[in-house]
């Protein structure tokens, strides 16, 4: 009996590692409790929420692995009640994305005609999981030509677009956030705030993703949404999260942010607590891509 117990003690950690071969690459923390957590904790919390935001670093393969893992677990926990929403596809490509999900077109057509990001391979697992399980994927982002337009001439000129173009955007005029979000934007622009038109285009980006989520949420009661975007769009529940609260005031959000950080083993709570409900720290000593 003692031998069996000792053997189990040795085997169980190995079995757990085999279940998640990337376990050494990341740690999950609950920022409300300032305590370690698990992916399953996050997934279970979605029982009382509508949207789970995942703020990624676009070049972090550990983060991409975790996105796919979380979405897989969400599908298992809430079968037929999940949708995927992505910054990585633009609203005017929704038809192409739908055609791929339905099996009408090949992946090569999705990539070219759906204007998929160059690193689409990092998101393929999530899209194909949705396809295999007959779940919707929301092409949430604003078409690049319109964010570029705002950067050049400002938000006001969006009103000059025709009805078809406006259908790919949130209701105009777009609200430009003030306060903390503008301060954060200034920080990443070198402390000078940056040109206002550039900030306006950032707000169009946020508002379009938020409106895409809100519109789907209102039309599909009971369906939970996994939203994937760059971390800045949802840090501190600003940006897209704040815009979403305007379009759907009663919506319940869980916010997760993933970072490669030197405090991998011992988080700097003063730095991370305000960023979301959960943080996932990936090991900066391991390769970000592989």
């Amino acid at each position: 009996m003692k031998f069996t117990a000792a053997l189990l003690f040795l085997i169980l950690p190995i079995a757990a590692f085999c279940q998640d071969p990337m376990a050494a690459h990341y740690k999950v923390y609950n920022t409300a409790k300032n305590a370690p957590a698990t992916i399953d904790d996050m997934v279970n919390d979605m029982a009382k929420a509508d949207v789970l935001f995942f703020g990624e670093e676009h070049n972090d393969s550990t983060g991409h692995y975790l996105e796919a893992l979380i979405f897989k677990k969400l599908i298992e926990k809430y079968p037929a009640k999940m949708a995927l929403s992505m910054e990585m596809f633009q609203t005017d490509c929704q038809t192409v994305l739908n055609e791929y999900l339905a099996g009408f077109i090949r992946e090569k057509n999705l990539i070219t005609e759906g204007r998929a990001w160059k690193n689409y391979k990092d998101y393929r697992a999530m899209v194909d999981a949705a396809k295999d399980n007959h779940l919707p994927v929301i092409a949430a982002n604003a078409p690049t030509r319109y964010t570029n337009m705002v950067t050049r001439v400002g938000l006001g000129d969006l009103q000059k677009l025709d009805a078809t173009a406006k259908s790919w955007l949130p209701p105009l005029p777009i609200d430009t956030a003030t306060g903390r979000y503008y301060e954060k934007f200034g920080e990443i622009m070198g402390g000078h705030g940056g040109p206002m038109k550039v900030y306006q285009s950032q707000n169009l980006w946020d508002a379009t993703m938020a409106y895409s989520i809100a519109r789907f949420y209102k039309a599909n009661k009971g369906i939970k949404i996994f939203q994937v975007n760059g971390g800045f769009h949802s840090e501190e529940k600003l940006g897209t999260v704040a815009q979403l609260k305007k379009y759907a005031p009663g919506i319940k959000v869980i916010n997760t942010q993933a970072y490669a950080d030197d405090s991998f083993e011992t988080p700097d709570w003063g730095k991370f607590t305000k960023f979301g409900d959960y943080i996932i720290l990936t090991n900066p000593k391991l390769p970000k891509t592989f």
Side-chain angles (χ1 to χ4, degrees):
M1 182 65 71
K2 290 182 179 178
F3 175 78
T4 303
L7 185 62
L8 283 172
F9 181 79
L10 291 171
I11 291 174
L12 284 174
I14 297 171
F17 183 81
C18 290
Q19 290 174 357
D20 186 357
M22 293 287 289
H25 289 248
Y26 71 91
K27 290 186 181 294
V28 183
Y29 296 94
N30 182 315
T31 57
K33 299 177 180 178
N34 288 5
T38 67
I39 297 295
D40 288 336
D41 291 335
M42 192 187 309
V43 170
N44 291 337
D45 281 354
M46 274 294 284
K48 297 180 180 180
D50 304 303
V51 184
L52 173 57
F53 274 79
F54 189 103
E56 67 166 33
E57 292 181 313
H58 295 318
N59 66 338
D60 186 357
S61 290
T62 303
H64 297 312
Y65 164 80
L66 290 167
E67 290 163 352
L69 177 63
I70 292 168
F71 189 50
K72 175 179 179 290
K73 286 179 173 286
L74 287 167
I75 293 171
E76 292 170 352
K77 182 75 174 179
Y78 311 103
K81 292 185 178 180
M82 284 304 307
L84 176 63
S85 178
M86 304 180 72
E87 174 191 352
M88 297 78 199
F89 286 101
Q90 298 171 11
T91 52
D92 62 334
C93 295
Q94 185 69 63
T95 298
V96 178
L97 184 53
N98 290 347
E99 289 170 348
Y100 175 71
L101 296 171
F104 298 154
I105 64 173
R106 296 170 296 178
E107 182 183 81
K108 63 182 285 187
N109 298 110
L110 170 68
I111 291 171
T112 56
E113 296 172 54
R115 303 198 303 277
W117 283 16
K118 291 182 179 179
N119 64 328
Y120 176 72
K121 64 179 179 60
D122 293 324
Y123 307 103
R124 176 184 287 121
M126 287 189 293
V127 175
D128 283 352
K131 183 174 185 282
D132 292 343
N133 288 276
H134 310 289
L135 301 175
V137 180
I138 304 165
N141 204 0
T144 302
R145 60 188 179 277
Y146 300 138
T147 53
N148 288 345
M149 176 182 173
V150 171
T151 299
R152 289 185 297 104
V153 298
L155 280 171
D157 276 31
L158 293 176
Q159 298 281 10
K160 299 176 181 178
L161 296 172
D162 66 20
T164 299
K166 289 178 181 176
S167 73
W168 294 321
L169 299 173
L172 301 177
I174 303 298
D175 178 39
T176 302
T178 56
R180 176 59 186 151
Y181 194 54
Y182 182 62
E183 292 171 5
K184 282 172 63 69
F185 186 79
E187 290 166 8
I188 67 167
M189 295 295 288
H192 303 294
M196 179 52 66
K197 291 175 184 175
V198 176
Y199 183 59
Q200 288 179 339
S201 66
Q202 174 77 17
N203 280 258
L204 173 61
W205 205 339
D206 294 328
T208 306
M209 288 193 287
Y211 185 69
S212 297
I213 297 167
R215 183 167 53 184
F216 181 91
Y217 164 75
K218 292 175 181 179
N220 298 273
K221 293 297 182 181
I223 303 298
K224 299 179 183 297
I225 302 165
F226 183 47
Q227 160 72 11
V228 178
N229 52 247
F232 189 84
H233 291 289
S234 49
E235 279 182 358
E236 300 183 45
K237 297 188 178 181
L238 299 172
T240 303
V241 181
Q243 295 279 10
L244 176 59
K245 291 284 188 177
K246 295 176 183 178
Y247 293 126
I251 201 164
K252 297 176 182 177
V253 171
I254 296 173
N255 199 36
T256 300
Q257 301 287 138
Y259 305 94
D261 192 82
D262 290 333
S263 64
F264 173 69
E265 296 286 353
T266 54
D268 178 354
W269 294 116
K271 177 180 179 181
F272 289 117
T273 297
K274 62 185 179 180
F275 278 10
D277 301 300
Y278 289 90
I279 55 167
I280 302 175
L281 299 183
T282 61
N283 192 339
K285 296 178 182 179
L286 295 174
K288 288 176 72 69
T289 57
F290 40 81

